[in-house]
Amino acid sequence: EGHVLRMKALYVNNPSNATGTVLSEESVKEIVRFAKEKGMLILADETYQENVYFETNPFTSVRKAMYSLPSDFHDVELLSIHSAARGFVGEPGKRGGYMHITNFTPEAQAQTIKMCSVLLCPNLTGQVAIDFQCHRPAPGSPSYPTYAAELAAKHAAYSARGTKLVAALRALQGVTVADFVAGAFVLPKVALPEGAVAKAKERGVEADFLYCESLLAKTGVLVGPGSDCGMDGGKGYFRMFALMEEKKLEAAIAAIAKHHGEFLAEYA
């Protein structure tokens, strides 16, 4: 009481992890307008920008949206983030990423670079992954046809896997989940039985954790409870990777379906 909250930065994750939603161009522009009005820095995590599977949901970067607005908005401070560990390149073991700084003062830019310089340098494979991400085969180059074909095949496969997983989850009793349109994860919601909620309270854990723990113990399928992301544990959300190999995906779907029925029966 008596203190005034002064927000300095606004974090934007687009496309979203883990909901897979993509902000419309107008929504991104509204974020820029808000940041301008409040004098806030925008931290734009755009690592899944290439994992957009339908033309009806195009990705718009914060930087593009900012410069499409009148010049009054072109001075908003922005730090855009990309990575080879996520997104289309999707190599979690290759720890490489980069950021693009816009409208930082020379002093702020120097401090940012200083902060980064005291960290350990990415390993060689991480640096190679970033070089590939930033310097891809261009149209007309000998390797471009192969690259373009692989890119299209990956997008088609990722879209099919995510759509298949969503359909399987929706077939389960009491489970709802948004369409898979972008990113690499789905965030289904399970209508947890009262018995499960009571058991979780008795153990002193979140109800969504109880569901995820049971799934892991009985099937070996690992998902993350929504409460780990700050969501209400009683709502029954869990986060699941959607782009695994086809055989693994089919096995996971079968295991989840079997466990789900058993879990509901156990806590009915």
Side-chain angles (χ1 to χ4, degrees), residues 14-15 46-52 59 61 81-82 87-88 98 155:
N14 181 45
E46 299 172 335
T47 55
Y48 286 104
Q49 60 185 263
E50 293 177 88
N51 291 68
V52 179
F59 165 77
S61 71
I81 304 166
H82 206 355
F88 169 70
Y98 64 89
H155 267 105

Side-chain angles (χ1 to χ4, degrees), residues 26-96:
E26 182 54 38
S27 294
V28 180
K29 288 180 179 178
E30 189 60 32
I31 289 171
V32 175
R33 295 187 189 102
F34 179 80
K36 170 71 176 181
E37 177 187 346
K38 303 298 182 181
M40 297 167 64
L41 159 72
I42 300 177
L43 301 173
D45 180 350
E46 299 172 335
T47 55
Y48 286 104
Q49 60 185 263
E50 293 177 88
N51 291 68
V52 179
Y53 308 112
F54 300 98
E55 294 181 357
T56 53
N57 299 81
F59 165 77
T60 302
S61 71
V62 174
R63 194 169 191 273
K64 179 181 178 181
M66 179 173 72
Y67 284 114
S68 67
L69 289 168
S71 59
D72 290 350
F73 295 92
H74 293 181
D75 61 351
V76 172
E77 292 181 299
L78 169 65
L79 192 152
S80 304
I81 304 166
H82 206 355
S83 169
R86 305 182 196 172
F88 169 70
V89 177
E91 294 287 354
K94 296 176 175 56
R95 310 308 293 178

Side-chain angles (χ1 to χ4, degrees), residues 79 99 101 104 106-117:
L79 192 152
M99 58 187 178
I101 295 172
F104 276 32
E107 295 78 12
Q109 184 167 330
Q111 288 297 320
T112 303
I113 294 173
K114 179 181 177 181
M115 179 187 68
C116 293
S117 69

Side-chain angles (χ1 to χ4, degrees), residues 8-28:
K8 298 296 185 181
L10 178 63
Y11 174 77
V12 181
N13 181 209
N14 181 45
S16 174
N17 175 8
T19 63
T21 54
V22 183
L23 295 174
S24 68
E25 181 176 357
E26 182 54 38
S27 294
V28 180

